[in-house]
Amino acid sequence: MQKHTFPIQTTADCGAAVSRRSPLSVTWMRAHPPSSMASLLSIHVVTWNVASAAPPPDLSDLLQLNNLNLNLDVYVIGLQEMNCGIMSLLSDTAFEDPWSSFFMDVLSPLSFVKVSSVRMQGLLLLIFAKYQHLPFIQILSTKSTPTGLFGYWGNKGGVKIFLKFYGYYVSIVNCHLPPHVANNDQRLEHFDRILEMQNFEAQDVPNILDHDEKKRKPAWTDRILWRLKRQPQAAIHTPTLSAPHFTLFLRSYVSHMLYSVSDHKPVTSTFDLELKPLVSAPLITLLPESPCTAESDMLISYSLTADFLSSPWDWIGLYKVGLRHINDYVSYVWVRDNQVSFSDGLNQVYIDISDIRETEDQFLLFYYSNNLHSVVGISTPFKIQPRSFLAEGPLDEAQPQI
């Protein structure tokens, strides 16, 4: 198996976002030969040591919401020194923390869904993506590595999300390291420990230590670092593999000086990622019945690819467009328990929609795979018509009504 990052290489960092002693690094690796068509995606990386502050009223500048020339696909947000007092942690365990809620409230109307998150005391790592990308994002693992007091306290350390994005392995690590030049050796020791403990334990999966992020001194000033490392040409062009296409372009690098809720200033970078998707079709195709009316049940048809391994714990969720995260469903159904028919490649299941009120909102169907811990299929947006949409005709036949 060959591994590639930006643009044709074995290892590199998409972005090492550093908020003073707090790096946020992203590593991309190719697992299989790419397809022939390239796609252009935009990724916005945020890092901010928030110094226990609450979210300010407006983060439009931080998230580039007013940039009309920017069409973002993914947000990667790393925060350090969030409020981690006992009462705050207890509250955040039962409910969403204020920062996650704020980002979901702002981004969900723009079709962004929280894909994954991991938190360790004051460290938080969030990933948002537009919902159409969800079938091509597979969460492989989330991990936390404390390096604080005696190696057990989580005020220092790193959190990681490891995933596959259109077939590419992606490792995202948000770190909080000891500050000051005098602590350089301790900082390097913590950094090496984080990388060693964040490995994904599976065969044929690239190791995060494959890159050289550890040969540099971790920075302690607010900055974003990235690096390209090209693979030797002799190793690229083999008779069995086509030339890979995976390129990163930096569009912006900004320190946002207008925010004063913390003694740190947030740093953001925006990248254009050009790649040949290794996965071009979802594992599941979902088709709601049409027209769909607000009766007690709705019939859903779905087809599976030949290599998809279903589970009795797979489920289909019904969502309003503008959902915040995967648990925002308005109804759901276990696919095995409620299956009404199946044939070669086609299955049907009923989902209860009797509690859905009349609305002009559009809806989506998501198929969640228990084995893959990810959404593997989505429908196109559709409306649920009110019960009065169909009126009984003279022959007791349902007739469309305008």
Side-chain angles (χ1 to χ4, degrees):
M1 177 185 64
Q2 289 186 320
K3 292 166 278 186
H4 291 279
T5 49
F6 313 127
I8 299 174
Q9 57 208 358
T10 52
T11 58
D13 292 333
C14 158
V18 183
S19 180
R20 189 185 179 193
R21 68 186 183 269
S22 308
L24 175 63
S25 64
V26 184
T27 302
W28 301 70
M29 292 166 265
R30 187 171 73 84
H32 303 289
S35 62
S36 58
M37 299 299 292
S39 298
L40 185 64
L41 304 174
S42 291
I43 302 171
H44 193 62
V45 181
V46 176
T47 182
W48 194 1
N49 187 317
V50 299
S52 299
D58 186 3
L59 287 178
S60 298
D61 184 67
L62 181 76
L63 300 175
Q64 294 292 284
L65 300 181
N66 298 325
N67 189 340
L68 300 180
N69 298 320
L70 196 59
N71 184 20
L72 291 170
D73 297 277
V74 177
Y75 281 94
V76 176
I77 302 172
L79 302 180
Q80 305 88 34
E81 291 193 14
M82 290 176 55
N83 187 349
C84 58
I86 294 178
M87 294 305 297
S88 176
L89 287 176
L90 289 174
S91 174
D92 295 347
T93 301
F95 309 98
E96 291 283 356
D97 66 89
W99 283 94
S100 294
S101 294
F102 184 92
F103 287 123
M104 285 189 289
D105 288 343
V106 171
L107 295 176
S108 60
L110 304 176
S111 299
F112 284 93
V113 179
K114 188 181 78 170
V115 177
S116 185
S117 67
V118 57
R119 181 176 179 181
M120 181 181 67
Q121 289 184 217
L123 273 172
L124 176 65
L125 180 58
L126 297 163
I127 299 177
F128 291 85
K130 286 189 173 175
Y131 69 78
Q132 59 263 36
H133 298 300
L134 295 187
F136 307 101
I137 301 175
Q138 179 187 346
I139 305 300
L140 299 177
S141 73
T142 60
K143 289 187 177 181
S144 302
T145 303
T147 61
L149 185 64
F150 301 110
Y152 293 102
W153 192 243
N155 64 320
K156 296 290 192 293
V159 292
K160 170 189 169 184
I161 297 174
F162 189 41
L163 55 94
K164 290 182 78 173
F165 185 63
Y166 284 92
Y168 294 81
Y169 287 107
V170 183
S171 181
I172 305 171
V173 183
N174 181 19
C175 301
H176 193 199
L177 305 173
H180 310 309
V181 175
N183 293 323
N184 181 63
D185 290 342
Q186 183 185 22
R187 186 160 57 246
L188 289 174
E189 179 184 347
H190 284 200
F191 194 63
D192 286 341
R193 173 176 169 79
I194 291 168
L195 294 184
E196 291 169 0
M197 297 299 293
Q198 297 283 350
N199 294 334
F200 185 68
E201 300 160 356
Q203 293 182 348
D204 298 329
V205 173
N207 191 314
I208 192 172
L209 292 175
D210 287 339
H211 64 70
D212 295 329
E213 182 67 345
K214 67 177 182 177
K215 291 185 179 179
R216 291 198 297 266
K217 293 181 180 179
W220 59 274
T221 54
D222 296 48
R223 66 182 69 179
I224 292 175
L225 307 176
W226 67 98
R227 179 185 179 189
L228 304 181
K229 182 178 178 183
R230 298 179 182 276
Q231 188 181 32
Q233 292 295 317
I236 296 174
H237 301 293
T238 63
T240 58
L241 294 178
S242 59
H245 189 96
F246 197 98
T247 310
L248 186 73
F249 304 96
L250 178 68
R251 293 192 59 175
S252 69
Y253 176 95
V254 181
S255 177
H256 300 263
M257 304 303 294
L258 63 90
Y259 296 109
S260 58
V261 298
S262 167
D263 58 340
H264 298 255
K265 301 300 181 183
V267 174
T268 67
S269 61
T270 305
F271 297 93
D272 282 342
L273 175 62
E274 186 176 275
L275 57 81
K276 292 180 179 178
L278 310 180
V279 181
S280 57
L283 294 172
I284 300 288
T285 301
L286 288 161
L287 298 171
E289 64 178 332
S290 179
C292 177
T293 58
E295 304 298 333
S296 59
D297 294 313
M298 176 178 69
L299 182 65
I300 302 170
S301 301
Y302 64 95
S303 59
L304 301 75
T305 58
D307 56 346
F308 176 70
L309 181 62
S310 62
S311 161
W313 298 105
D314 290 355
W315 52 276
I316 295 174
L318 176 67
Y319 300 83
K320 287 185 178 181
V321 172
L323 68 150
R324 292 153 45 100
H325 53 75
I326 191 65
N327 294 327
D328 256 353
Y329 51 79
V330 295
S331 184
Y332 72 94
V333 60
W334 300 102
V335 293
R336 291 282 182 89
D337 292 345
N338 295 273
Q339 196 170 47
V340 293
S341 66
F342 62 92
S343 59
D344 292 339
L346 184 65
N347 301 266
Q348 290 185 320
V349 64
Y350 279 108
I351 187 171
D352 185 5
I353 59 172
S354 59
D355 292 334
I356 296 179
R357 297 178 180 179
E358 184 174 330
T359 177
E360 291 297 319
D361 293 332
Q362 289 190 312
F363 291 83
L364 292 165
L365 292 170
F366 287 7
Y367 187 110
Y368 185 86
S369 167
N370 183 69
N371 291 332
L372 299 178
H373 307 292
S374 304
V375 173
V376 294
I378 64 173
S379 70
T380 57
F382 62 93
K383 285 189 174 183
I384 297 179
Q385 304 294 343
R387 290 177 176 84
S388 59
F389 178 74
L390 293 180
E392 296 300 320
L395 300 179
D396 291 331
E397 295 180 350
Q399 301 291 332
Q401 182 180 29
I402 300 177

